[in-house]
Amino acid sequence: MKEGYVEKSGETTEQDMELINRYTRRELTAEEVYTFSVVLCDNEIDRDYERFTTEALEKLAVLFVGRTGIFDHQNSSANQAARIYSCRVERPEGKTTSFGEPYARLTAKAYLPRGGVQEDLILQLDAGIKKEVSVGCSVGSVRCSVCGEEVRRGTCRHQKGKVYGGRVCHHILEEPSDAYEWSFVAVPAQREAGVIKHYLPESGKACTLTESQVCKLRGHLEDLEKRAGMGDEYRDNLRREVVRLSGILQPGIALPVMERVVQRMTLDELKAFHKAYSQKMEETFPVSPQLAGRDRSRRAEGDRSFQI
Ligand SMILES: [Zn+2]
């Protein structure tokens, strides 16, 4: 599957214009549009160890017609978009996939109107700067290549990317149910560039996320993981501290007993114990010399309050 990529800009034929004019408000001429081919995906195993079947590609060919491609996520406006006006599965002769099936790829033809800001984009396409594309779709079925089980059922015990009986386990994507927006990826060879697949959850209801939403979500998850890690560390420190203070203040309770007790305490309980023990420590043991001054003034204040 790899990344999708812009193939070449070709001649715009009368047949192309007929298809393009289905999407335009007024009839455009061949001089008014720029057309190019883009390979959206293929039936090869991709970097996620997943592949579409050729039948899935055929269905996607229908679903992608009419879909718009966005050029720039930061700066996208309605007229900065190309539209797919035809889409078909190509089968280059003599080429086979890594698992020995005839190779097939989904190739789309797209257009954008000439003139204005579009000329800049056309130049970038011609120069090969805007080359990688990322496409999104949702699929209804994901099967394991080893046992053939529907992966989302949870009965398959194979791991994709691992080798079983000399063959790499991968997931087979079938029954595409929707095709989404596609976009040009500014930086080529980006790890995320390429086909974004959406799977229908068990509820059967598909949900779509834009690339920026996915990025935001990932950032949020990383942040949560980090915070959870920090929280665990904080709780562990608090447990150790409560056990230590208990050992000093309540020597009658054996340390292993207290260690078991703190394991069952909630964070609030740990905090309450820590606070109470810390106060008790301050009362029981003399404060360090450098705090003596402050302590004395505090005591003085306390004394004054008694004078009322
Ligand atoms: Zn399996």
Side-chain angles (χ1 to χ4, degrees), residues 55-279:
E55 294 73 45
L57 292 180
E58 293 283 1
K59 280 182 183 164
L60 283 171
V62 178
L63 293 169
F64 267 112
V65 175
R67 296 292 174 196
T68 49
I70 303 296
F71 276 86
D72 196 331
H73 277 288
Q74 281 80 44
N75 193 16
S76 66
S77 61
N79 58 346
Q80 275 184 307
R83 192 192 288 272
I84 292 174
Y85 62 92
S86 82
C87 201
R88 69 191 188 94
V89 177
E90 291 180 333
R91 294 174 175 82
E93 240 177 271
K95 201 175 168 186
T96 50
T97 63
S98 58
F99 52 94
E101 268 187 27
Y103 176 77
R105 63 183 183 190
L106 184 61
T107 307
K109 279 175 131 184
Y111 79 94
L112 67 159
R114 281 190 177 277
V117 286
Q118 310 276 52
E119 284 307 313
D120 195 36
L121 299 167
I122 291 166
L123 204 67
Q124 290 183 51
L125 281 169
D126 273 340
I129 295 168
K130 296 258 188 234
K131 210 171 178 326
E132 314 289 314
V133 297
S134 128
V135 298
C137 66
S138 65
V139 292
S141 165
V142 183
R143 282 191 302 111
C144 166
S145 67
V146 179
C147 64
E149 279 290 317
E150 176 65 46
V151 171
R152 284 169 292 191
R153 208 162 284 154
T155 47
C156 162
R157 292 281 168 270
H158 303 104
Q159 246 182 328
K160 59 180 181 176
K162 279 201 173 173
V163 179
Y164 298 91
R167 305 202 92 178
V168 175
C169 171
H170 59 274
H171 289 171
I172 301 163
L173 311 177
E174 286 172 306
E175 293 161 37
S177 53
D178 207 355
Y180 308 120
E181 196 184 73
W182 51 288
S183 59
F184 287 88
V185 183
V187 189
Q190 219 178 10
R191 216 179 74 84
E192 283 76 19
V195 184
I196 301 164
K197 290 143 291 187
H198 302 260
Y199 308 124
L200 291 176
E202 287 295 350
S203 69
K205 264 174 83 182
C207 57
T208 317
L209 294 174
T210 65
E211 204 174 292
S212 68
Q213 281 173 322
V214 171
C215 285
K216 219 185 263 177
L217 206 59
R218 187 188 299 127
H220 187 57
L221 279 176
E222 279 169 5
D223 189 45
L224 278 178
E225 260 169 42
K226 213 185 288 170
R227 281 201 217 181
M230 275 157 57
D232 287 345
E233 206 182 307
Y234 173 65
R235 190 189 288 252
D236 283 345
N237 281 338
L238 214 51
R239 278 180 185 144
R240 268 196 297 274
E241 197 57 14
V242 167
V243 171
R244 186 182 72 87
L245 293 173
S246 164
I248 298 166
L249 296 166
Q250 294 180 294
I253 303 172
L255 282 184
V257 173
M258 203 56 199
E259 267 160 10
R260 277 199 299 275
V261 170
V262 294
Q263 288 302 322
R264 271 182 248 126
M265 281 187 187
T266 66
L267 194 60
D268 279 341
E269 286 163 354
L270 281 169
K271 277 190 204 164
F273 265 78
H274 186 256
K275 196 180 166 190
Y277 278 162
S278 298
Q279 272 167 2

Side-chain angles (χ1 to χ4, degrees), residues 272-287:
F273 265 78
H274 186 256
K275 196 180 166 190
Y277 278 162
S278 298
Q279 272 167 2
K280 185 105 175 145
M281 280 294 277
E282 249 181 73
E283 286 161 23
T284 314
F285 297 95
V287 284

